[in-house]
Amino acid sequence: MRWINRRPGRVLTAALVAVPFLLAFLAYSIGSEIRLAENPSDKLLPAPSKIAATAVRLVSEPDKRSGEILFWKDTIASLVRLGIGVAIAAVTGLVMGLLIGLLPYVRATLAGFVAAISLVPPLAVLPILFIVFGLGELSKVALIVIGITPFLIRDMAERTREVPEEQIIKAETLGASSLAIALQVALPQVMPRLLQSVRLSLGPAWLFLIAAEAIAAENGLGYRIFLVRRYLAMDVILTYVVWITLLAFMIDWCLGAITRKAYPWAGGRA
């Protein structure tokens, strides 16, 4: 049997998934042990046991000044900003994508404009956002929206244009209006793709969030990482990095589960 036709079983798949993680952990542990053997006070690669102890302290001990557990306060602040930004971008991308994909006049007017603004580096406009919206929450959410909305619009427009023309003609023959075609023919077919596009946008969304929080914020995961970097507190930084990665993985997994549950017919596309 050819290798392209061989498929691992469930147990072997789980083992193969774990292998890269174990190798990365092993490589880090060896590197940390070598550096600490040469210099026990080295801070660059703290021992895994120290990172674990720091993680326990961060999630359980309140701050001496505020009395709050800053780890959870930062997590909530960042998730609220990320959730609002991604939700606004997803709704805007869906509506604009349907309009551009279905209506030739809207496509002729906006397709080129959206393609142009999608090429603008979002981080380059961050100073402008701070000047226009101030240093509050609005500028951070706006950066996420500006960063991922053009991609979502273009993707939704392309997927809408891929709706079989026969289905649209059949709906028109049955007397469906443009709104009915959009809601009952195109929308159900692009919704799985929207969830998939949001999953692909989560990485850039986290990047824009961390960048905005690093520059101007009083709480948040990005703010905390850049605050402690001046003390070279790598155990705190690595704890936050691992936590951000875990949050991103959980959000991605939830979106994938929603897609499979709500749109099982989407199959491999979801």
Side-chain angles (χ1 to χ4, degrees), residues 23-181:
L23 290 177
F25 178 77
L26 183 62
Y28 178 88
S29 300
I30 294 174
S32 174
E33 190 172 339
I34 292 174
R35 289 188 68 92
L36 291 175
E38 295 178 355
N39 179 13
S41 60
D42 180 77
K43 292 184 176 180
L44 190 60
L45 294 179
S49 58
K50 184 177 182 181
I51 297 175
T54 300
V56 172
R57 176 175 58 81
L58 289 175
V59 303
S60 59
E61 294 185 5
D63 180 62
K64 293 180 180 178
R65 278 192 281 181
S66 63
E68 298 177 295
I69 299 179
L70 299 180
F71 184 85
W72 299 117
K73 183 179 180 181
D74 292 333
T75 300
I76 293 172
S78 291
L79 286 180
V80 169
R81 292 166 186 149
L82 183 75
I84 295 175
V86 172
I88 294 174
V91 173
T92 305
L94 176 62
V95 174
M96 295 300 297
L98 283 172
L99 291 174
I100 293 174
L102 286 174
L103 304 178
Y105 276 96
V106 178
R107 183 163 57 249
T109 306
L110 294 179
F113 176 73
V114 173
I117 63 172
S118 68
L119 301 177
V120 177
L123 291 178
V125 302
L126 184 56
I128 300 175
L129 295 178
F130 283 144
I131 293 172
V132 175
F133 299 121
L135 301 178
E137 298 299 309
L138 184 57
S139 57
K140 301 175 187 60
V141 173
L143 179 63
I144 297 173
V145 174
I146 292 173
I148 66 174
T149 299
F151 163 73
L152 293 176
I153 293 176
R154 296 184 70 181
D155 197 38
M156 288 301 96
E158 289 299 319
R159 300 292 80 76
T160 302
R161 295 191 66 180
E162 290 177 359
V163 174
E165 190 174 356
E166 294 82 1
Q167 295 183 10
I168 296 177
I169 294 175
K170 185 178 292 183
E172 289 179 316
T173 303
L174 295 173
S177 64
S178 297
L179 180 60
I181 292 174

Side-chain angles (χ1 to χ4, degrees), residues 1-8:
M1 181 182 290
R2 296 180 177 85
W3 278 100
I4 60 172
N5 296 320
R6 294 174 182 266
R7 300 183 186 280

